């Protein structure tokens, strides 16, 4: 670039969104089964592409093994009896590993050559494929390029900013869900000794809704089933979750359960491949044969039609019980273990079955079949994911699932119960380690007792509140333990505006992402070890531990040589930052933790119930289960005297303007949240494009457009115009008035105020949009919106 042009470009603000550029969309037939040979091929291709077949290939066989490391992708549990010597991984686990085990790295020279502005003009796919971050970097005030900085200087800068705040609550400490138990514990300990409960975390966009629904109703914010329950059960319902892409190893559990006679019901606006069929790539039969059909019944519910659907099923079950008394509902369980049944029953007097069915969008005979499949069965498991937690009434929908399970007496029994399928590989462990903006008094009292400092008592900020607090200077310093806050959160333009106002943004990261490019007045990138790498402390190879989606804590020990000698593990980063910030004032012996993770685990044991003999039990084959009273049929509800509670919920009125549609934002098969592995969504038949919108055939016709047309998308919540320009219409089997797009591209359309009642999560699967034919002058409008957001700073 010419010098002048260069200078001019740098005066422009870096782009908070990926470029509005179309690639070369190819649409093929969507798949009706997941995995099989293509999955094996993709695993190998992915490793080859990252030039890491040896480094990554070797590691693949250690992933999820008893003596290996925990897969960095999803949080689905590993079998606790035997594990396949072929490797306990799936295609998407291999992709996640290839991303972090890559041989490519980003050096100081890279940042010297590339300004943040120039980098921001690239797609997230390109940004993510430059390789691993290898040295700490610093962005000075008004800077255009990141510069190298020593670790000591970096800690000093952060400490300086933290210590000059008027209140510790002007800092926010974000956590993405990969951080180990050990690092999470010291992280919250440091932030609390510093003086704040501001712990926005990825749960605030993910399963917060589940916790908020489960704690008051069954007394614990976690699921109540074990992996083994899937092997011997009668009915497995998968609602608002896409296991084929997001927890592929779950398909093996479903296959095993089906082999033993279980029936599967799938409830989803999209006929997802992984719900329909499975060919296990680790079995000859799965590779060569036709595999197994998964869903025995598929209910194409409308977006947010789940509440009406669940109530319709419940109404039918009540009717069946009348026809076959004592055979359908568990009256004994209801009488002895629950409260609120009579009121619950009474509400159905006000409902009309046809009306409920119509609101769900599912045909009456299918709803009937679902109720029949459950009627004489007790061992029922309900699995759910983001399709429910990211609805405006998600808390209520999950409480309704609990209502249904309670009617049937299906909680706290072998082969039955609630199964929120969590996301990030240690998101559940983060919460258990007290990364929580609303800690309980008991938790804080225990910290005080063990360490002797007075922890802050007030509730801290969650993700949405943090975004808002950035706007008015209530938060000035943002520290990210992993993650990609800008791209994962809603209302991209508004969020970027808030981030730019901050005094300091810090990210502990493995890979470059857009959150490094849209930053505060000063910024730091602190590179860290990945889970697959060897973590050496005082000449000894360390292990960390994580908790899976079913409450099993297990050890994880990396085995690859770290990509750079400058990396520091997350636990040490926190301890060194704590020393730099708190100095002699601290009552915690941070050096003890620096010298040994055993010491961290010893103190976790003192503070958090269920970790007795942590250091010994974590080394057992398959780890150990944390206590879970609800799983044993003991409901520790505060307000209902140790009984589970029925809840009265409302049916939402989902009214839309004539030209309005509902949009659910979701993931492709080729991404892990904001990390874009590739540009396909193979199972849904989408290749080489992310800017697509799935629409029903009739809606397309009615709107006078056609498949392949270019459109612009709009949202008008809070009276503000939000625009996501240049998308391609793809005709898809999806209910009328419903659409699906991929995030992060459409996060710009999600208002920060469009949240889930009670859990305050972004309702990213319930977004009202308008769709108009694409016009080139839209870019000028988008430019204006963005310049305005920059001007008002
Ligand atoms: N490969 C891969 N694995 C991942 C991730 C990833 O990005 N990539 N992310 C991880 C994380 S953090 C999480 S939280 C999980 C997420 O995993 P999932 O919970 O599966 O999340 P999504 O794919 O966003 O959406 C799930 C499904 O909800 C459906 N849906 C949308 N609206 C509705 C509705 O109104 N009702 C119903 N019943 N269904 C609806 C969508 O069609 C979609 O199939 O996966 C984890 N694992
Ligand atoms: N519209 C819409 N938005 C959504 C969702 C949706 O369905 N729709 N889903 C939401 C959900 S469920 C979630 S969980 C959030 C995810 O939000 P985040 O957790 O913030 O996002 P990720 O994309 O998982 O973070 C990726 C980054 O983490 C860093 N990283 C990876 N591994 C490690 C590690 O081991 N240590 C450290 N320190 N850093 C690491 C890398 O730098 C990488 O770029 O997004 C949410 N956003
Ligand atoms: Mo998540």
């Amino acid at each position: 670039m010419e010098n002048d042009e260069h200078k001019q470009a740098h005066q422009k603000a870096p782009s908070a969104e990926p470029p509005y550029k179309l690639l070369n969309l190819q649409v093929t037939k969507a798949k009706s089964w997941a995995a099989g040979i293509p999955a094996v091929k993709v695993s190998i291709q992915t490793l080859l592409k990252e030039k890491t077949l040896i480094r990554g290939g070797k590691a693949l066989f250690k992933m999820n093994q008893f003596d290996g490391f925990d897969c960095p992708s999803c949080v689905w549990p590993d079998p606790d009896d035997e594990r396949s010597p072929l490797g306990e991984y799936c295609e998407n686990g291999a992709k996640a590993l290839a991303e972090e085990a890559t041989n490519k790295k980003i050096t100081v020279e890279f940042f010297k050559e590339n300004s943040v502005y120039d980098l921001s003009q690239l797609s997230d796919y390109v940004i993510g494929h430059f390789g691993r971050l290898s040295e700490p970097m610093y962005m000075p005030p008004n800077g255009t390029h990141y510069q190298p900085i020593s670790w000591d200087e970096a800690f000093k800068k952060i400490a300086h900013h933290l210590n000059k705040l008027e209140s510790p609550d002007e800092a926010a400490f974000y956590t993405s869900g990969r951080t180990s138990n050990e690092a999470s514990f010291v992280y919250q300990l440091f932030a609390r000794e510093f003086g704040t409960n501001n712990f926005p975390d990825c749960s605030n966009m993910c399963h917060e809704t589940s916790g908020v629904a489960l704690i008051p109703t069954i007394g614990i914010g976690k699921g109540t089933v074990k992996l083994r329950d899937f092997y011997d059960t009668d009915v497995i319902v998968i609602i608002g979750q896409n296991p084929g892409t997001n927890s592929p190893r779950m398909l093996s559990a479903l296959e095993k359960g089906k082999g033993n006679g279980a029936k599967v019901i799938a409830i989803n606006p999209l006929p997802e491949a992984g719900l329909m069929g499975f060919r296990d790539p680790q079995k000859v039969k799965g590779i060569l044969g036709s595999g197994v059909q998964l869903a025995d019944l598929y209910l194409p519910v409308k977006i947010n039609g789940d509440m009406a659907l669940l109530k319709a099923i419940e109404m039918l079950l009540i009717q069946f019980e009348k026809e076959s008394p004592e055979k359908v509902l568990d009256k004994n369980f209801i009488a002895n273990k629950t409260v609120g049944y009579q009121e619950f029953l009474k509400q159905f007097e006000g409902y009309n079955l046809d009306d409920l069915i119509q609101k769900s969008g599912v045909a009456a005979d299918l709803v009937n079949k679902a109720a029949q499949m459950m009627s004489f069965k007790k061992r029922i498991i309900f699995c759910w994911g983001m399709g429910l937690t990211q609805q405006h009434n998600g808390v209520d929908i999950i409480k309704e699932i609990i209502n249904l399970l309670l009617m049937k007496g299906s909680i706290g029994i072998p082969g039955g119960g609630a199964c929120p399928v969590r996301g990030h590989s240690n998101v559940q462990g983060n919460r258990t380690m007290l990364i929580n903006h609303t800690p309980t008094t008991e938790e804080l009292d225990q910290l005080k007792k063990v360490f002797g400092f007075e922890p802050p008592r007030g509730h801290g900020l969650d993700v949405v509140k943090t975004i808002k607090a950035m706007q008015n200077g209530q938060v000035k310093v943002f520290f990210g333990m992993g993650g990609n806050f800008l791209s994962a959160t809603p209302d991209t333009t508004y969020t970027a505006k808030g981030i730019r106002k901050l005094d300091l943004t810090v990210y502990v990261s493995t890979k470059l992402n857009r959150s490094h490019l849209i930053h505060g007045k000063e910024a730091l990138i602190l590179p860290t070890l990945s889970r697959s790498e060897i973590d050496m402390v005082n000449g000894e190879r360390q292990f960390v531990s994580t908790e899976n989606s079913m409450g099993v804590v297990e050890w994880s020990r990396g085995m690859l040589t770290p990509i750079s000698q400058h990396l520091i593990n997350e636990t040490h980063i926190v301890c060194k930052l704590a020393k730099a910030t708190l100095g002699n004032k601290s009552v915690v012996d941070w050096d003890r933790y620096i010298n040994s993770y055993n010491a961290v685990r010893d103190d976790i044991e003192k503070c958090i119930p269920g970790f007795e003999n942590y250091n010994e039990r974590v080394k057992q084959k398959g780890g150990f289960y944390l206590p879970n009273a609800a799983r044993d049929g003991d409901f520790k509800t505060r307000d209902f005297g140790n009984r589970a509670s029925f809840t009265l919920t409302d049916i939402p009125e989902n009214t839309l303007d004539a030209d309005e549609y509902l949009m659910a934002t979701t993931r492709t098969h080729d991404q892990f949240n904001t990390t874009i592995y590739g540009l396909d969504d193979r199972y849904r038949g989408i290749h080489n494009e992310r800017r697509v919108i799935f629409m029903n055939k009739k809606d397309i016709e009615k709107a006078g457009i056609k498949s392949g047309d270019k459109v612009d998308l709009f949202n008008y919540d809070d009276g503000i115009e939000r625009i996501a320009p240049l998308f391609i219409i793809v005709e898809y089997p999806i209910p009328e008035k419903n659409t699906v797009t991929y995030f992060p591209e459409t996060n710009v359309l999600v208002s920060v105020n469009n949240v889930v009642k009670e859990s305050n999560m972004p309702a990213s699967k319930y977004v009202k949009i308008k769709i108009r034919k694409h016009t080139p002058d839209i870019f000028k409008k988008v430019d204006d919106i963005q310049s305005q957001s920059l001007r008002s700073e």
Side-chain angles (χ1 to χ4, degrees), residues 457-477:
R457 299 281 168 169
H459 284 181
L461 301 172
D462 60 12
V463 162
V464 163
K465 286 184 182 159
T466 299
I467 295 171
K468 290 185 175 176
M470 286 172 175
Q471 312 291 330
N472 55 14
Q474 227 181 303
V475 162
K476 295 193 170 79
V477 173

Side-chain angles (χ1 to χ4, degrees), residues 174 176 178 424 483-484 488 508 511 513 570 665 673-674 747:
Y174 177 68
S176 164
R178 270 192 194 170
H424 261 303
N484 183 355
V508 178
K511 301 287 290 276
N513 65 46
E570 291 177 342
T665 58
N673 301 337
T674 68
N747 264 339

Side-chain angles (χ1 to χ4, degrees), residues 125-359:
Y125 172 71
V126 173
I127 291 174
H129 285 82
F130 284 122
R132 286 280 301 280
L133 293 159
S134 65
E135 290 187 49
M137 301 299 299
Y138 169 63
M139 174 64 77
N142 299 316
T144 53
H145 294 65
Y146 274 99
Q147 313 168 350
I149 184 170
S150 72
W151 277 101
D152 278 350
E153 276 306 309
F155 291 131
K156 264 193 216 152
K157 279 211 189 298
I158 307 169
H160 168 74
H161 274 280
L162 288 175
N163 283 328
K164 76 175 191 204
L165 295 176
E166 271 172 33
S167 147
D169 287 331
E170 288 176 353
F173 294 89
Y174 177 68
T175 317
S176 164
R178 270 192 194 170
T179 303
S180 66
N181 281 358
E182 292 76 2
S184 303
F185 183 77
V186 292
Y187 186 48
Q188 63 80 34
L189 189 65
F190 159 60
R192 291 208 163 97
E193 193 182 19
F194 173 66
T196 184
N197 281 320
N198 286 347
F199 291 108
D201 69 351
C202 76
S203 281
N204 300 149
M205 299 179 266
C206 186
H207 268 290
E208 184 81 46
T209 304
S210 303
V212 170
L214 296 176
I215 290 170
T217 50
I218 61 166
I220 185 166
K222 299 183 182 184
T224 69
V225 294
K226 293 184 176 179
L227 188 52
R228 282 162 187 274
D229 291 314
F230 282 80
Y231 303 159
D232 197 8
T233 178
D234 294 313
V235 181
I236 303 168
V237 184
I238 305 168
I239 175 166
Q241 193 221 338
N242 182 16
T245 287
N246 298 321
S247 8
R249 286 172 307 124
M250 177 174 166
L251 302 188
S252 307
L254 296 178
E255 186 190 18
K256 214 162 166 176
K258 283 206 61 146
N260 291 334
K263 299 276 183 234
V264 172
I265 304 177
I267 305 177
N268 198 306
L270 301 182
E272 306 281 27
L275 296 172
M276 299 304 160
F278 178 45
R279 298 179 183 178
D280 188 342
Q282 299 205 337
K283 285 187 190 155
V284 175
K285 190 176 78 172
I287 294 176
L288 302 176
S290 55
V292 288
Q293 184 202 340
L294 283 178
D296 296 276
L297 182 67
Y298 164 58
L299 308 181
V301 70
K302 274 192 211 164
I303 290 177
N304 202 256
D306 304 87
M307 179 62 97
L309 177 64
L310 289 166
K311 289 200 191 250
I313 294 174
E314 287 163 349
M315 201 160 173
L316 285 164
L317 291 173
I318 294 167
Q319 194 180 310
F320 295 164
E321 169 74 12
K322 280 190 192 135
E323 293 157 11
S324 319
E326 309 291 319
K327 295 242 165 66
V328 179
L329 306 184
D330 188 339
K331 292 283 173 61
N332 235 336
F333 177 89
I334 294 172
N336 297 321
K337 296 266 188 178
T338 70
V339 296
Y341 182 64
Q342 288 313 321
E343 295 86 336
F344 169 74
L345 200 58
K346 201 162 177 339
Q347 76 178 317
F348 287 92
E349 290 168 15
Y351 292 145
N352 172 300
L353 183 62
D354 293 339
D355 183 45
L356 291 175
I357 291 177
Q358 191 260 330
K359 282 196 167 123

